[in-house]
Every structure is written in C-alpha cells, then in structure tokens.
Amino acid sequence: GVIYVVETGTDLLRGKVIFVSNYVERLLGYTPSEFIDNPELWFSIIHPDDRENVRSTSFQIQTSKQPHMRVYRVRHKNSRKYHWMEDRVTPQIDEHGTFKGFLGIACDITKRKVAHEGRMSELTYERIVESIHDAILVVDSRGMIVHANRQAETMFGYTPMELTNKAVESLMPESFMEENVRHRDQDAPHPHPRVMGAGLELKARRKDG
C-alpha cells in the first residue's frame, strides 16, 4: 500500500503533497518526488470516469471530518494500464478543529477486483497494515506498541511478542527518549493524524544496539 499526506489549502484535489511512501514507484512507476513536485499529478492519472467520485468524496471528508474509504482507478506511468485502488482516507484536523488535509493508505486491489468481478470484500485493519511495504508501529496514548507489521519486525530485529507492549521510546537512541515522551504528552490532549518527523531524518535503535 501507499501512504500519503496532503495539505489541501484552497484546492482539495490539488493540494501540497507532504509525503508519499516509496512503494508508489513500484506500484505506479512515479517517484515520490514527482508527486511532491507536481500537485496536479495525482488527479490527472485518475480514470476520467472516477474523477467525480473522488471529487465528491474529498468534499465529504472535508465537511464531515470523518474517515472514508473510496475505490477508483489510476494509470501507471509506463504501461498506461489502470490499477484499481482502495483508498482509506483520514482527515487531518488541527488543535482548533480546522480541516487541514488528508492522510491516506491506498492499496492496489486490481487482482481482487477482477477475481470477484467487481464484488469487493472488506479488508481488516490488520491486513491493510500488513500489506504496506513500510515499517508500521501502532502506539497507544501511553507510548506502548500495540501492533507492529512484518516490516517493523525486520527493521528492528524484535519478534512480535517482544514488540507488543514495549515502550516506543526503547527503539530510540537514549538522547531522544525524554524529548519524545515530552512531545507525546503534549500531543495526547489534542490528537490529530500526522506523520511523525515529516521532513526530518529520524534515528532508531535495533535490538542489537
């Protein structure tokens, strides 16, 4: 799956792309920087028949401030073939309750779409997380890890049992532990979707040190 973050500004469909995970190049042939440098790109590769659905659901997410799942087709850069995407979108809301943009996970469901002749089965939360090719840690308000996907286990060298109920700060260099606890405590009263350390080079510590 492809993780992305968009700040919409005045245009819901051509907002500033803050982050796109690297898997987008493997899936669609475009690099993350191509999406970041060209706000027009994403909407331009959506199938013409699906653009109205994407437009209307974008406004629905903005006004309701509630997550939404939508399905549409996007065109591959090189093959020019369309891929069916299941896009789970969460609105980004600041501490004042103002809508700022979208955080989404888009998964390729082309094979499933064809196999079931358009009838889609609901993906569970765990299956979505496991399908993502980036390391994902789900952390509760106490800073305890409640779920880690296979890529996270590979990255950090811990088994699933070792990661579950482990403090996320234990995966950080000691010099960053106290600062992260302070930031987490500040964010807890006003939770909102965001990418941790967006635009920064983060450091983590494996099990072997």
Side-chain angles (χ1 to χ4, degrees):
V2 178
I3 303 173
Y4 64 89
V5 179
V6 176
E7 287 185 358
T8 54
T10 57
D11 192 332
L12 287 181
L13 303 175
R14 297 170 181 82
K16 181 180 179 182
V17 180
I18 303 300
F19 172 82
V20 184
S21 57
N22 291 328
Y23 185 61
V24 73
E25 184 172 7
R26 176 177 168 184
L27 182 63
L28 297 176
Y30 294 94
T31 64
S33 61
E34 286 180 280
F35 285 97
I36 292 171
D37 294 340
N38 181 9
E40 302 274 347
L41 178 57
W42 171 71
F43 194 67
S44 72
I45 64 174
I46 294 175
H47 194 287
D49 292 345
D50 298 332
R51 290 176 185 173
E52 182 54 38
N53 172 53
V54 171
R55 181 182 289 106
S56 62
T57 54
S58 296
F59 281 99
Q60 180 180 340
I61 294 165
Q62 179 194 37
T63 55
S64 69
K65 298 180 182 178
Q66 295 296 318
H68 187 83
M69 187 276 286
R70 58 192 179 187
V71 176
Y72 54 88
R73 289 160 287 182
V74 290
R75 189 182 63 237
H76 192 281
K77 179 180 182 180
N78 302 315
S79 71
R80 314 303 287 179
K81 293 182 179 179
Y82 281 96
H83 291 244
W84 281 99
M85 305 298 294
E86 183 176 79
D87 190 11
R88 293 177 178 265
V89 189
T90 301
Q92 291 201 90
I93 311 298
D94 67 16
E95 63 272 18
H96 303 294
T98 303
F99 174 83
K100 291 296 184 181
F102 304 109
L103 183 153
I105 301 175
C107 298
D108 187 341
I109 61 165
T110 305
K111 291 182 179 179
R112 177 158 58 92
K113 186 80 171 175
V114 172
H116 293 274
E117 298 179 339
R119 289 179 14 227
M120 292 169 33
S121 58
E122 186 74 8
L123 282 175
T124 64
Y125 171 78
E126 289 77 14
R127 286 178 62 197
I128 292 174
V129 173
E130 289 300 334
S131 73
I132 296 170
H133 289 253
D134 297 287
I136 299 291
L137 297 175
V138 181
V139 182
D140 66 16
S141 60
R142 302 168 301 149
M144 307 302 289
I145 298 171
V146 296
H147 184 81
N149 66 353
R150 286 188 294 270
Q151 286 74 16
E153 296 162 19
T154 300
M155 175 179 288
F156 294 111
Y158 291 92
T159 66
M161 288 290 292
E162 290 175 313
L163 281 173
T164 302
N165 293 323
K166 187 177 185 66
V168 69
E169 283 80 20
S170 64
L171 301 179
M172 301 178 182
E174 291 184 8
S175 57
F176 294 107
M177 289 182 181
E178 290 186 10
E179 182 179 359
N180 188 73
V181 172
R182 186 167 61 254
H183 283 306
R184 173 162 49 79
D185 290 344
Q186 290 173 350
D187 289 343
H190 307 288
H192 61 281
R194 66 181 179 88
V195 175
M196 184 178 71
L200 303 177
E201 183 174 302
L202 302 180
K203 295 183 179 180
R205 183 173 59 183
R206 287 174 48 84
K207 182 180 179 180
D208 59 13

